[in-house]
Amino acid sequence: MHDPESPRTLPVSWYSDPAVLEAERRTVLAAGPQYVGSVPMVPEHGWFRTVPQRDHGEVLVREGERVRLVSNVCLHRGFLMTKGRGRKKAIVCPMHRWSYDLAGGLLKAPHYPETPCLHLPRRDLQDWNGILFAGGQDVAGELAPLSGLGLDLDVRNYVLEATEEEEQPFNWKIPIEVLLENYHAPYIHPGFTRFADPATWLGNDGAFDSELLMFQVMRPHPDFAHNPASRAFEEWQRAILELTGGQPPRFAAVIALYRHNTIIEWWPFTFQVTTYVPRSPGVTLMTREFCFDPRALVAMPEYPELARAAWYETQRQDEEAHASLQVGRALAHRRDPHALTGYEVYQSPMEDSVQLFHSMLIRDVSPHLAVPGRAGAARAGALP
């Protein structure tokens, strides 16, 4: 019989309690790779892009061939200097016109007899295939399983087409859980289900799971030229075939979760990154960037519109599920504060990745919620 002090799924309280979120921030989220952007955001000298995941307090800046991550807070009085994306010769504080070069060095301090010798704080970056991280992990080593696929995943020459930044009404773990399981896909994603090989959903075909990196390589559907379940997907699939000379693409998608709230996706001629950063237990900042292969843009200027129309069809369906899961778990918590998140037995293989994600959270977060003198509380992930 299953030990009630060692649940195989999370307590519902973990989706609403501030103490749990604080423990998650100190543990699994603090150990993240700190995705800050990609090379396509700053394609040429002088381009900049502030980092929404860091509350725009840091900015990617390109100087020549080098991309730096520099503080966006003026050293004079702490003013947030810029926001968004653009191109500049220097970073200038709007309040007192202190100006900095692209490496963060102070150039000018108006009405000071001498310009102070100051430099904006900056952090080193790790560049993996054009994807930029500011954490201390060995990114290349941890993403080696992706490098070993033999696929062209380099996006340095891609073109940034769109960015998003939105606060969404659910706990940060919910979209991660939905991403990691294929159980729901045939039921709420008819178009997407006809985009990839059926073995993707029923057999977890092409899946790789570790505690740091989870991904799935999805093969194209055997009848890739047709998608009777979705007009948007069918138009995108036909566009892909036109670009590939009528041959199915090498993969329908490669979708990866990296430490544990950064989602990296490659689709035919398309690349995107989505992050989920918690603001509170029930509010999450979502950021997303869409980039496209320049060869596709030249051959078919409407390609980004077709790709995003199909992708958003699936995303809208997922976001409805995210909101319903948040509401349902809140209701379950109201009925029973000690309840677990649904049925404790995971469907295998379609929920294997979710089980691994939950097991990692229970192991790493629970000890920070333990009540002295109650050894079972840590094992169960119970709250004080």
Side-chain angles (χ1 to χ4, degrees):
M1 186 172 180
H2 182 56
D3 180 358
E5 290 195 337
S6 300
R8 296 170 63 186
T9 188
L10 299 183
V12 289
S13 58
W14 281 37
Y15 298 83
S16 59
D17 194 283
V20 174
L21 177 56
E22 182 57 31
E24 291 170 341
R25 283 176 169 151
R26 294 196 310 267
T27 55
V28 295
L29 294 176
Q34 297 186 41
Y35 168 77
V36 293
S38 61
V39 171
M41 289 180 169
V42 285
E44 296 177 352
H45 177 81
W47 276 94
F48 73 91
R49 173 71 161 90
T50 58
V51 182
Q53 303 95 307
R54 305 287 295 177
D55 294 322
H56 300 279
E58 292 177 290
V59 57
L60 288 172
V61 182
R62 182 154 187 165
E63 182 185 31
E65 295 301 311
R66 185 166 185 178
V67 180
R68 292 185 171 92
L69 182 66
V70 180
S71 172
N72 190 30
V73 178
C74 184
L75 296 172
H76 179 231
R77 293 290 178 259
F79 197 93
L80 188 69
M81 293 185 285
T82 190
K83 189 174 181 180
R85 179 175 183 254
R87 197 169 190 176
K88 295 183 177 184
K89 294 181 179 180
I91 304 169
V92 181
C93 177
M95 189 170 187
H96 299 111
R97 295 300 189 269
W98 279 38
S99 59
Y100 304 84
D101 63 28
L102 299 179
L106 183 63
L107 293 172
K108 186 177 181 181
H111 304 294
Y112 275 70
E114 292 184 5
T115 299
C117 185
L118 297 174
H119 201 290
L120 292 170
R122 62 189 185 193
R123 294 197 287 161
D124 293 333
L125 293 173
Q126 296 185 64
D127 179 340
W128 184 84
N129 283 328
I131 310 169
L132 304 172
F133 301 92
Q137 295 76 19
D138 175 14
V139 171
E142 293 182 350
L143 296 183
L146 282 170
S147 299
L149 294 175
L151 301 173
D152 183 7
L153 304 180
D154 195 307
V155 299
R156 290 181 181 89
N157 293 322
Y158 275 44
V159 177
L160 179 69
E161 285 286 318
T163 62
E164 299 178 8
E165 178 183 347
E166 179 185 14
E167 288 192 346
Q168 298 181 333
F170 40 74
N171 185 273
W172 73 274
K173 296 185 291 297
I174 286 178
I176 304 305
E177 294 166 348
V178 172
L179 168 83
L180 290 177
E181 57 104 332
N182 291 329
Y183 196 5
H184 74 286
Y187 305 111
I188 71 170
H189 299 318
F192 187 23
T193 302
R194 278 289 277 104
F195 182 78
D197 190 297
T200 294
W201 320 114
L202 301 178
N204 250 23
D205 189 47
F208 172 90
D209 283 341
S210 73
E211 289 197 352
L212 302 181
L213 174 69
M214 303 181 190
F215 66 82
Q216 188 167 18
V217 181
M218 302 178 180
R219 294 193 302 268
H221 194 279
D223 184 15
F224 196 72
H226 302 92
N227 194 326
S230 167
R231 180 178 177 181
F233 267 98
E234 185 168 71
E235 290 179 350
W236 186 24
Q237 288 166 227
R238 289 178 176 175
I240 292 169
L241 291 173
E242 184 176 336
L243 291 171
T244 59
Q247 297 299 312
R250 289 192 65 188
F251 58 85
V254 178
I255 302 179
L257 174 69
Y258 181 33
R259 275 187 178 256
H260 303 282
N261 64 339
T262 302
I263 301 168
I264 311 172
E265 304 178 44
W266 294 264
W267 305 73
F269 309 105
T270 306
F271 165 73
Q272 66 194 65
V273 180
T274 303
T275 66
Y276 289 100
V277 179
R279 295 300 200 197
S280 69
V283 177
T284 298
L285 173 68
M286 181 279 301
T287 71
R288 181 175 294 127
E289 300 94 40
F290 287 92
C291 301
F292 292 90
D293 190 322
R295 296 170 297 179
L297 298 178
V298 170
M300 189 180 294
E302 69 275 21
Y303 186 79
E305 181 179 352
L306 295 172
R308 292 176 66 195
W311 190 89
Y312 271 115
E313 178 180 283
T314 299
Q315 183 62 20
R316 285 192 295 270
Q317 294 158 348
D318 272 340
E319 288 179 357
E320 291 178 5
H322 300 161
S324 292
L325 285 164
Q326 182 72 23
V327 172
R329 290 171 184 182
L331 292 172
H333 186 238
R334 191 180 307 165
R335 288 195 303 269
D336 178 4
H338 304 292
L340 297 178
T341 307
Y343 189 53
E344 293 185 63
V345 179
Y346 294 79
Q347 201 290 326
S348 185
M350 290 187 283
E351 292 184 312
D352 287 353
S353 299
V354 183
Q355 183 172 6
L356 179 60
F357 178 60
H358 285 173
S359 297
M360 178 274 299
L361 289 172
I362 290 170
R363 185 198 65 209
D364 292 350
V365 177
S366 291
H368 296 266
L369 302 172
V371 178
R374 287 175 55 198
R379 294 196 302 274
L383 297 177

